[in-house]
Amino acid sequence: GSDEFHPFVKRIYANALPDGYLVAQLVAVPSKNPNQIVWPTVDVWAASLPSTDVLLVIGPEPAMQWRRFCNQVVGLAKHYDVSTAIGLGALLAEYPHRRPAHLTATSTDDSLRERFGLRAPTYEGPTGIVGVLGEALTTAGVPTASLWSAVPTYTAQLTAAKATAVLVRATCAMV
C-alpha cells in the first residue's frame, strides 16, 4: 500500500522485520504476474493523534523465531519511548455472529487495570504472539494491555466487522 493514507499517519518501516518469521502464504495474486507470490509483511506505522502519538505494528503472526521477533519489537518500543503497549487479537469461540461482539480486556499492570477497568489475566494454556509479545514488553518495563474479541469459529477466514469495531473502540478509549 501507500506510505501515507491519512495526513496524520505515515508508514515508517515497510517490511520492518526481516524475512524468516513467516511461512509462505499466498496473500494476493497480482494481475500482472499471476505466478508471483506476494509475501505477507510486518509494517510499522506512526500516527499523530491530538492527544498522543501512536506506533502501530501491523502484520500476520510470525510462524517461527518468536523470541527474535519480540526482541525487535521491544527494541522499536524502546527506541520510540513507547509508554504503553496494547495487543489486539481475535479469539475463535462458539459465539454466534448475530450477537454483539464480546470484548475481553486484561493487563498485568495495576495502573492500567485501575485507569481503564481492565481485569487481571487468568488464562492458562497455549498462547499466540500477542501473549508472548506482551510478556516481552512487560519484562522490558512497558505497561501492556491485551484486548481480545470473540469471533465465531465458522467465520475464521472472514473479516469480522463486529469484532474489529469493538477492538477499535476499546483501543481508542485507551489512547
Side-chain angles (χ1 to χ4, degrees):
S2 169
D3 284 347
E4 294 187 42
F5 63 90
H6 188 278
F8 304 108
V9 180
K10 180 173 178 65
R11 183 183 343 202
I12 55 175
Y13 296 107
N15 198 13
L17 305 170
D19 292 338
Y21 297 116
L22 306 171
V23 173
Q25 299 176 29
L26 183 63
V27 293
V29 178
S31 59
K32 294 179 184 172
N33 183 356
N35 295 324
Q36 177 185 6
I37 293 175
V38 177
W39 290 86
T41 63
V42 175
D43 295 337
V44 179
W45 295 77
S48 292
L49 305 176
S51 61
T52 190
D53 291 329
V54 177
L55 194 66
L56 305 160
V57 179
I58 302 171
E61 180 171 287
M64 57 183 133
Q65 299 184 29
W66 283 14
R67 265 193 207 125
R68 185 172 160 215
F69 178 87
C70 290
N71 287 339
Q72 290 182 331
V73 173
V74 167
L76 286 169
K78 287 182 176 183
H79 177 78
Y80 287 99
D81 198 26
V82 170
S83 62
T84 304
I86 303 171
L88 306 178
L91 173 65
L92 291 176
E94 296 299 324
Y95 196 80
H97 70 277
R98 293 177 188 233
R99 295 174 82 188
H102 175 74
L103 177 72
T104 300
T106 63
S107 179
T108 57
D109 185 80
D110 292 334
S111 64
L112 289 179
R113 285 199 313 265
E114 184 177 321
R115 183 173 172 198
F116 298 110
L118 309 177
R119 296 182 303 148
T122 56
Y123 175 77
E124 292 183 13
T127 190
I129 196 64
V130 172
V132 174
L133 185 54
E135 169 68 20
L137 287 161
T138 298
T139 300
V142 179
T144 306
S146 183
L147 306 178
W148 291 85
S149 184
V151 296
T153 55
Y154 55 86
T155 63
Q157 299 302 317
L158 303 173
T159 302
K162 288 180 183 178
T164 301
V166 77
L167 289 169
V168 168
R169 278 193 297 275
T171 302
C172 288
M174 293 180 70
V175 297

